[in-house]
Every structure is written in structure tokens, then in C-alpha cells.
């Protein structure tokens, strides 16, 4: 029997033995202990190979029936079925989950656009002079492509077909090559747009937008640590990652480029300008040469546009407090408050709507009221006089309302006139811009120096590499930035941005001639399959969590954790260690949907931000794809690797990158600003 199977069986036996040792005697067991037993059994069932979603649902309903039966035996079945329906409906009505199928659909379309081969070739040529260039290009390619697709299996499989043979042919060690592919392919579950962050946000009730903003820099940090490790290893031990040969670094130039290099200069700008003036060859007309010159000048044009936009942004004077905004009741801009007797006073016409005098509400004097004699003629009717007074009062009120309307019109006219005068003044004398800060000029100087160095060494070979990057790297980068930018800057919700990304995937596939009915049909089928799996996981997790809470398992765990009297730091370390260990037998989906509902209720007691906790968990769960025995990335790579590459070699190659993940986790905890700075800047 293989070592991996023995390892898995050993972990399974440890879980079973731990359950029997820690559980009390059957006569002393409570419903809370049944909840802990359910938690242990679900881990055992998943490790035995049972489908996670349906195992969660089945075991959750069975233990929920136990919980309801202990309270009301006659209603246990009905309450259990009601619980299942309510939980399923609540999950399906969650708007956040709509973005999952859209992002997955975008990933499958980008994968089928056949960009990864061009991306890898252009990157490894661009990085040919860097130690370990093939492995570095592999990590960067995996990071970019995994970010655009978010599908770990697809990225690892494709890079195993493209990069692994190239690295083995160049003399790279199997462990380093396998580690670079598997570690780089897993970056897609951390760098946004990530399905893992959506699942965590829906489980923990945290804003997906803030999670995306917070995970951006930790993902870049982890990829940078991978690249740094590869460069250091290649520098210290060149036999593990030998440099590329001259043949592998050679770029085939078109005929006009070779002619210009021989006749004028190998520098792109000087050579093309001289060729355009001299009309070098009828086969290379000026129009084509001007097009090549425009492509070569794109970095300078982009830098000029970016710095010009930044200059306008940083030199715009701060908005002055508008004179039109005045304290309520003090009149219009530039006017003094209306004094007594001005046009804005209440009308004081006779019989108008004035406040009654202070002594106006007195009883009439007794002499003024004559008591009628018993035999006297009846007095004149009072009703007509009263009606006349009422009519007069109404007329006066109407006059007052008309006067108010006229005053309002006059005020509006004055306001419009004031605004017109202000607009004329601004047009005549525009506000002076503020001086640009010193940081802008430092950045400008550094950019100019970098451009000077870039164009000094910009040969025709580098121009061909740059054009390859324009056709592979930049379309993906623009798609990723468009999706993330609209989310992070609040221009669109994650669902709307995912829809834009799906449209971008369709356009990319069409632009590269890969869009047809077969591709769309296959992408839709795989999207439906993946989305159904995630949604069923949510339903099963919701039922399981409800049963766990009904049995009182969460309460027992809370009491146990609080009885330890831990500090927030100690609790954070304990939680991350548990998640790290769970990553060995379980995948990230099971860890998120099963164990996050246990940790989340404890966070308020330790005053821990769920956003920061989620970033640590997302960084920690990279290990779920790299840790045996359920290291899915290793199995993906093994399926496409040559026969002499063993699973043990792949596992050993992944271990240094797991250690790097632990280092990145410590850095994020020690310097939380790596993950929290961007959300605080954007959403404070």
C-alpha cells in the first residue's frame, strides 16, 4: 500500500480515537456532545470519500431530527423538513452568490481563449536574464492567469503541459519546477476576483468588496515571496535552475528589423526614425515603420497621459466653500439677512395672517354683550355676518399666499442672477492651480529616468517581446483591472463586475478566434456544474450549522474557548493553527462552510475584525491545495506530468512554498496594514 494511503488512514484513525477518548460516557452525553460527535463524523465521512455537500445535508438533517425530538417528539419530522426548506431558500435568495457563476464563466472563457501559451512564452523571454527565469515566468504566468480564471485545476493542468516540459528540458530540478507550478496555480484563490472570498463573505457576513480590496496586496506579497525564493535558490544553486542558453533566448526578427539593425541602429527609436527618413526598403513602407514606431512609443505615451492626469488631479485647487451655501435663515449669497421691514417679511396687511396680540384672547366686556329681553324682537341673524368674516379671512389668506409666491419668485430670480454673475466671474478669472507636491516631481523624475534607460536599451528583439506581451499579458491585465477597479472603486457591485468580466471573456475569446458554439456550450456546462456544487455546499453547510447550533455544540465550544482565558493574539494563533492543520485532510470549501461558522461567533469576544480574520484565513487556506494527502494541485500536476515525475517529488517540491505561506501569514499578522490599508483608504 502506498505511503499516501497509510498517511490518510493514520489521520482518520487519529480522528476516531480522539472522538472516543474525549467524549464522555454514553450515560453522561448531552445534546452538545452529540453536536461535537457530528462534527467529528463529518470529517471522517469526507475523508472516506463521501460527497461533501450531500453528507453535510444528510448528517445535518439526521442530527437536527435528534435535537427536535428531544424537545417535541410529535413535531420532530415536520420541524426538520421545515428547517431544510428554510435553509435552502435563504441560501438561494443570497444575492452575493450570483457573482459566482459569472466569475466562473469568465474563467472558462479566458482559459479557452488560448492565451496562456503566448503569455508564458512572452514572459520567459522578457525575464530571460533573471536567475531561474523559467520558474519566475511560471509563477507570474500562473498568478496572472489564475487571477483571470480563478480555476486552480485548469491553471495547474495547463502550466503542467506548457512549463513543466520546458523547465525539465532546460535542466531544472523536478522539485523546484513542480513547486513553482503548484504554488503559482493556487494564487487564484487568494488574488481577487476570488470565489473563496465570495464564499467567506457570504458565510461570515463580510462585504465582498472590502475583502477584494484587502486581499489585493497580500496576494501580490505572496507572489513576490515566491519569486524572491526562486531567484535566491537559482543564484545560490545554479544546478537547480540553470540559466537559459543563447538559443532559448534568441528572438526571431522580421526582415525589416534585421535590415534596420545592420544599416542604421539596433536601437528601436533611432533605427525606425532613420529608416522612415531614408525610405530603407519598398518591402518596409513608411506607414508600416510608423506603426512600429507608434508601438515602441506606447510606454512613453502611457506615462505622459498618466502623469498629465495625475498633475491635473494634484494641482486642482480645493473646492472653496460656496457663497451660495449660507446658514439657514440668513438669506442668499452675498446678501445680508433680511432686516425688519424688508421684502421677506410677513405681510402686515389689515386682516392678514398676523399673530394675535398678547392680550387679544380676552373675554369680551360684559357691557358689550346685551342680554335680549324675553319679549323683545329677535336679533338679526349672526350667521351671515360670521360667513362674511370667514370669506374676508379667506380672501386675505389668498392675498398673503400670493404675496409669498411673488416673494419666492423674486428670491429665485436673485439667486439665478447671483449664480450667473459667479459663473461669469469664474470664466473671466479662472482659479489658479495649486503647486504640485514634491512627491509628484520625484515620481516624474524617476519615471523620466526609467524611460530614458528603457529606450536606451530598447532593441528590436525587445520590441518583438513587447509586442508579444501586448497580445497576451496586457489584454488579461486590462480585463482584471477593469473587473477589480469597478468593484474596488465602487463603480459596480461584485455581481455587476462579474457580468462585465463575462462579457470581457467573450470578447477575448472572439478576438483570438476561439469563440464558437462548442466553446460557449462547454463553458456554460462547466459553469453550471461548478456553481451547482458551490450552492449545494452552501445549502448543506447551512443545514449542518443549524443542527450544530440546535444541539448546543457551538455553545460548548464557546464555553471551552472562553474558559481558556486567552488573549486575542493567542486565540488568533490557535485558530490559524487549527485551520492550517485542517488544510491537510480537507479542501478549502469544507473548511469555509463547516468551520468558519464555528469561529465567527467567537470574534466579537476577542475584538477581532472579521475582515482581517478573513484575509488571514484566505492566506492560510493556500495550504489546502499544497498539503498532502488531499493536495489537489499535486494530483492535477501528476495527471499531466511525465511518468518519471513521482507524486512524492511533487509533494517535496511544494513544502518550501508552504513554508513561504506561513512566513506570509506571519507578516500579514505582524503588519496588518498590508491587508487593511486599502479598504481603510477607500471605504473609511
Amino acid at each position: 500500500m502506498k505511503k499516501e494511503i497509510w498517511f490518510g488512514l493514520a489521520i482518520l484513525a487519529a480522528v476516531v480515537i480522539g472522538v472516543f477518548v474525549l467524549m464522555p460516557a454514553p450515560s453522561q452525553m448531552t445534546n452538545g456532545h452529540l453536536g461535537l460527535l457530528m462534527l467529528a463524523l463529518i470529517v471522517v465521512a469526507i475523508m472516506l470519500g463521501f460527497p461533501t455537500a450531500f453528507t453535510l445535508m444528510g448528517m445535518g438533517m439526521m442530527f437536527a431530527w435528534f435535537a427536535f425530538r428531544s424537545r417535541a417528539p410529535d413535531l420532530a419530522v415536520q420541524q426538520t423538513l421545515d428547517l431544510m426548506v428554510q435553509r435552502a431558500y435563504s441560501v438561494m435568495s443570497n444575492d452575493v452568490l450570483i457573482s459566482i457563476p459569472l466569475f466562473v464563466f469568465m474563467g472558462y472563457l479566458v482559459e479557452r481563449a488560448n492565451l496562456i501559451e503566448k503569455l508564458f512564452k512572452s514572459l520567459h523571454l522578457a525575464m530571460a536574464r533573471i536567475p531561474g527565469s523559467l520558474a519566475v515566468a511560471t509563477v507570474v504566468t500562473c498568478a496572472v492567469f489564475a487571477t483571470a480564471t480563478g480555476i486552480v485545476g485548469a491553471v495547474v493542468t495547463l502550466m503542467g503541459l506548457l512549463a513543466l516540459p520546458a523547465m525539465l528540458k532546460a535542466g531544472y530540478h523536478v522539485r523546484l519546477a513542480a513547486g513553482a507550478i503548484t504554488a503559482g496555480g493556487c494564487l487564484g484563490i487568494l488574488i481577487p476576483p476570488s470565489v473563496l472570498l465570495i464564499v467567506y463573505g457570504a458565510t461570515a457576513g463580510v462585504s465582498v468588496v472590502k475583502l477584494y480590496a484587502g486581499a489585493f496586496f497580500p496576494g501580490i506579497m505572496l507572489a513576490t515571496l515566491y519569486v524572491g525564493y526562486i531567484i535566491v535558490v537559482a543564484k545560490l544553486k545554479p544546478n537547480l535552475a540553470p540559466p537559459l542558453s543563447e538559443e532559448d533566448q534568441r528572438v526571431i526578427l522580421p526582415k525589416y528589423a534585421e535590415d534596420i539593425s545592420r544599416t542604421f541602429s539596433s536601437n528601436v527609436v533611432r533605427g525606425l526614425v532613420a529608416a522612415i527618413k531614408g525610405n530603407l526598403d519598398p518591402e518596409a513602407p513608411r506607414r508600416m515603420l510608423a506603426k512600429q514606431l507608434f508601438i515602441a512609443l506606447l510606454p512613453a505615451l502611457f506615462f505622459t497621459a498618466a502623469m498629465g492626469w495625475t498633475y491635473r488631479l494634484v494641482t486642482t485647487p480645493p473646492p472653496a466653500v460656496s457663497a451660495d451655501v449660507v446658514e439657514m435663515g440668513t438669506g442668499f449669497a452675498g446678501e445680508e439677512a433680511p432686516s425688519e421691514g424688508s421684502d421677506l417679511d410677513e405681510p402686515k396687511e389689515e386682516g392678514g395672517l398676523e399673530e394675535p396680540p398678547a392680550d387679544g384672547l380676552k373675554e369680551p366686556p360684559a357691557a358689550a354683550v346685551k342680554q335680549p329681553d324675553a319679549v323683545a324682537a329677535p336679533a338679526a341673524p349672526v350667521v351671515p355676518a360670521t360667513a362674511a368674516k370667514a370669506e374676508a379671512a379667506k380672501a386675505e389668506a389668498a392675498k398673503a399666499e400670493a404675496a409669498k409666491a411673488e416673494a419666492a419668485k423674486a428670491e429665485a430670480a436673485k439667486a439665478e442672477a447671483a449664480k450667473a454673475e459667479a459663473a461669469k466671474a469664474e470664466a473671466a478669472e479662472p482659479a489658479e492651480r495649486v503647486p504640485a507636491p514634491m512627491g509628484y516631481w520625484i515620481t516624474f523624475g524617476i519615471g523620466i529616468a526609467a524611460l530614458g534607460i528603457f529606450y536606451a536599451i530598447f532593441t528590436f528583439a525587445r520590441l518583438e517581446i513587447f509586442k508579444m506581451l501586448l497580445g497576451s499579458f496586457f489584454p488579461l491585465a486590462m480585463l482584471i483591472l477593469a473587473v477589480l477597479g469597478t468593484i474596488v472603486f465602487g463603480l459596480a457591485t461584485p455581481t455587476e463586475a462579474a457580468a462585465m468580466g463575462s462579457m470581457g471573456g467573450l470578447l477575448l475569446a472572439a478576438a483570438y478566434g476561439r469563440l464558437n458554439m462548442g466553446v460557449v456550450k462547454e463553458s456554460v456546462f462547466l459553469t453550471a456544474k461548478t456553481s451547482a456544487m458551490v450552492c449545494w455546499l452552501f445549502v448543506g453547510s447551512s443545514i449542518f450549522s443549524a443542527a450544530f447550533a440546535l444541539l448546543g455544540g457551538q455553545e460548548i465550544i464557546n464555553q471551552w474557548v472562553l474558559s481558556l482565558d486567552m488573549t486575542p493574539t493567542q486565540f488568533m494563533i490557535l485558530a490559524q493553527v487549527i485551520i492550517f492543520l485542517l488544510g491537510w485532510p480537507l479542501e478549502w470549501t469544507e473548511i469555509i462552510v463547516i468551520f468558519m461558522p464555528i469561529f465567527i461567533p467567537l470574534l466579537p469576544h476577542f475584538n477581532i475584525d472579521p475582515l482581517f480574520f478573513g484575509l488571514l484565513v484566505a492566506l492560510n487556506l493556500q495550504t489546502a491545495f499544497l498539503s498532502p494527502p488531499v493536495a489537489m494541485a499535486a494530483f492535477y500536476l501528476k495527471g499531466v506530468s511525465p511518468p518519471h515525475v513521482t507524486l512524492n517529488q511533487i509533494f517535496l517540491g511544494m513544502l518550501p512554498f508552504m513554508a513561504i505561506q506561513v512566513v506570509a501569514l506571519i507578516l500579514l499578522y505582524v503588519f496588518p496594514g498590508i491587508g487593511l490599508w486599502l479598504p481603510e483608504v477607500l471605504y473609511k
Side-chain angles (χ1 to χ4, degrees):
M1 191 176 294
K2 294 184 178 181
K3 296 179 180 179
E4 294 82 7
I5 299 178
W6 281 113
F7 182 74
L9 291 176
I11 294 180
L12 184 61
V15 173
V16 175
I17 293 172
V19 169
F20 280 101
V21 170
L22 298 177
M23 282 292 169
S27 59
Q28 300 176 352
M29 288 184 66
T30 62
N31 281 353
H33 293 102
L34 287 178
L36 298 179
L37 178 63
M38 176 180 67
L39 187 63
L41 289 178
I42 198 69
V43 175
V44 172
I46 292 172
M47 292 183 63
L48 289 176
F50 287 95
T52 304
F54 299 105
T55 304
L56 286 170
M57 282 188 287
M59 200 165 292
M61 290 185 63
M62 182 176 67
F63 279 88
W65 179 79
F66 276 119
F68 286 128
R69 187 174 179 276
S70 63
R71 302 175 185 177
D74 298 336
L75 300 175
V77 175
Q78 179 182 348
Q79 289 177 334
T80 303
L81 295 176
D82 289 343
L83 175 68
M84 180 187 70
V85 173
Q86 291 170 1
R87 290 289 174 161
Y89 179 77
S90 65
V91 169
M92 293 299 103
S93 60
N94 191 340
D95 295 337
V96 177
L97 299 181
I98 301 175
S99 58
I100 292 179
L102 293 172
F103 276 130
V104 173
F105 183 62
M106 177 189 77
Y108 282 120
L109 287 174
V110 171
E111 175 196 347
R112 279 151 181 75
N114 200 24
L115 284 175
I116 192 167
E117 183 176 358
K118 299 177 182 178
L119 179 62
F120 175 67
K121 185 177 180 180
S122 58
L123 284 175
H124 93 71
L125 286 175
M127 301 176 178
R129 297 184 181 276
I130 299 176
S133 57
L134 278 177
V136 172
T138 298
V139 172
V140 177
T141 303
C142 287
V144 175
F145 203 71
T147 304
T149 62
I151 306 166
V152 173
V155 177
V156 173
T157 301
L158 290 175
M159 290 305 296
L161 292 171
L162 290 174
L164 186 60
M167 284 191 281
L168 295 180
K169 181 182 177 181
Y172 278 60
H173 197 278
V174 174
R175 295 180 185 177
L176 182 62
I181 293 173
T182 52
C186 297
L187 288 170
I189 67 173
L190 174 61
I191 303 177
S194 165
V195 175
L196 181 147
L197 297 176
I198 299 174
V199 174
Y200 176 83
T203 303
V206 180
S207 169
V208 177
V209 176
K210 292 184 178 180
L211 284 170
Y212 275 6
F216 186 71
F217 286 118
I220 293 178
M221 175 188 69
L222 186 59
T224 305
L225 290 175
Y226 288 162
V227 170
Y229 166 75
I230 293 171
I231 292 175
V232 170
V233 169
K235 197 70 176 175
L236 297 179
K237 298 181 179 179
N239 60 313
L240 297 181
L244 292 177
S245 63
E246 292 294 331
E247 180 66 24
D248 292 332
Q249 297 183 34
R250 192 169 66 89
V251 178
I252 300 176
L253 298 179
K255 184 178 182 301
Y256 77 90
E258 293 179 352
D259 294 341
I260 294 174
S261 298
R262 286 195 304 266
T263 307
F264 297 107
S265 173
S266 61
N267 184 274
V268 170
V269 177
R270 290 197 299 268
L272 287 174
V273 170
I276 292 173
K277 290 180 179 179
N279 195 12
L280 173 68
D281 190 345
E283 295 181 4
R286 284 191 173 94
R287 185 174 180 180
M288 189 269 289
L289 296 178
K291 181 181 177 181
Q292 300 300 318
L293 182 61
F294 174 76
I295 294 174
L297 292 177
L298 279 178
L301 295 175
F302 176 79
F303 175 78
T304 303
M307 295 307 295
W309 178 78
T310 306
Y311 180 80
R312 290 184 58 85
L313 188 66
V314 299
T315 59
T316 301
V321 179
S322 176
D324 296 337
V325 182
V326 295
E327 186 179 354
M328 184 180 295
T330 61
F332 287 97
E335 297 181 1
E336 296 181 357
S339 59
E340 186 177 358
S342 67
D343 294 338
L344 300 181
D345 289 341
E346 291 290 333
K348 295 186 177 181
E349 299 177 7
E350 186 177 354
L353 300 179
E354 298 179 358
E355 290 290 333
D359 56 350
L361 299 178
K362 293 182 179 179
E363 292 292 333
V369 182
K370 294 183 179 180
Q371 299 294 336
D373 295 333
V375 295
V382 181
V383 175
T386 305
K389 288 183 179 180
E391 290 295 331
K394 288 181 180 179
E396 294 296 336
K399 289 180 181 180
E401 291 296 332
K404 286 183 178 180
E406 290 296 331
K409 289 181 180 179
E411 293 166 4
K414 289 181 181 180
E416 291 296 331
K419 289 182 180 178
E421 291 295 332
K424 288 180 181 178
E426 289 180 2
E429 297 180 2
E432 294 184 359
R433 291 187 172 275
V434 300
M438 183 58 65
Y440 171 83
W441 296 114
I442 293 174
T443 305
F444 183 79
I446 293 174
I448 290 294
L451 279 177
I453 297 172
F454 174 77
Y455 281 108
I457 62 173
F458 197 27
T459 61
F460 282 95
R462 290 189 171 91
L463 176 62
E464 294 302 314
I465 297 173
F466 180 68
K467 289 193 289 185
M468 293 172 65
L469 289 172
L470 280 179
S472 58
F473 175 76
F474 289 105
L476 285 177
M478 292 301 295
L479 176 64
I480 296 167
L481 291 177
V483 172
L484 292 183
T486 53
I487 294 175
V488 171
F489 290 105
L491 302 177
T493 64
T495 302
E496 295 166 347
M500 292 174 55
S502 298
M503 179 57 68
L506 285 170
L507 294 177
L508 273 181
Y512 289 91
R514 303 283 296 179
L515 185 63
N516 53 55
M517 186 55 65
V519 168
V520 174
K521 183 178 179 180
E522 185 180 7
S523 299
V524 169
F525 173 75
L526 293 174
T527 299
K529 182 179 177 181
T530 305
S531 304
M533 181 269 294
V534 173
C535 291
W536 277 119
L537 268 176
F538 261 99
V539 172
S541 168
S542 184
I543 296 173
F544 181 86
S545 301
F548 189 71
L550 285 170
L551 290 170
Q554 181 68 51
E555 185 178 353
I556 288 182
I557 290 179
N558 291 351
Q559 291 176 354
W560 174 71
V561 172
L562 297 180
S563 67
L564 298 177
D565 196 20
M566 293 186 293
T567 63
T569 301
Q570 292 171 337
F571 170 76
M572 189 76 79
I573 294 174
L574 176 64
Q576 297 305 320
V577 168
I578 292 174
I579 293 170
F580 179 80
L581 295 177
L582 289 172
W584 289 69
L586 302 177
E587 293 188 51
W588 69 265
T589 48
E590 287 93 352
I591 296 173
I592 290 288
V593 300
I594 297 174
F595 292 94
M596 285 306 104
I598 298 175
F599 286 112
I600 297 300
L602 292 167
L603 298 182
H605 174 77
F606 294 98
N607 197 24
I608 297 174
D609 185 4
L611 172 63
F612 182 58
F613 187 77
L615 298 179
L616 289 171
V617 170
L619 190 58
N620 198 348
L621 284 179
Q622 297 283 308
T623 59
F625 276 93
L626 299 182
S627 52
V630 191
M632 296 306 299
F635 294 103
Y636 293 141
L637 182 59
K638 174 58 181 172
V640 296
S641 59
H644 68 274
V645 178
T646 65
L647 199 58
N648 286 336
Q649 288 177 316
I650 297 175
F651 282 150
L652 291 174
M654 294 188 303
L655 290 180
F657 292 90
M658 286 183 61
I660 294 174
Q661 292 170 358
V662 175
V663 172
L665 191 66
I666 296 172
L667 288 175
L668 180 59
Y669 182 76
V670 175
F671 305 102
I674 297 173
L676 298 181
W677 176 79
L678 188 58
E680 290 176 356
V681 169
L682 295 175
Y683 311 116
K684 60 182 177 181

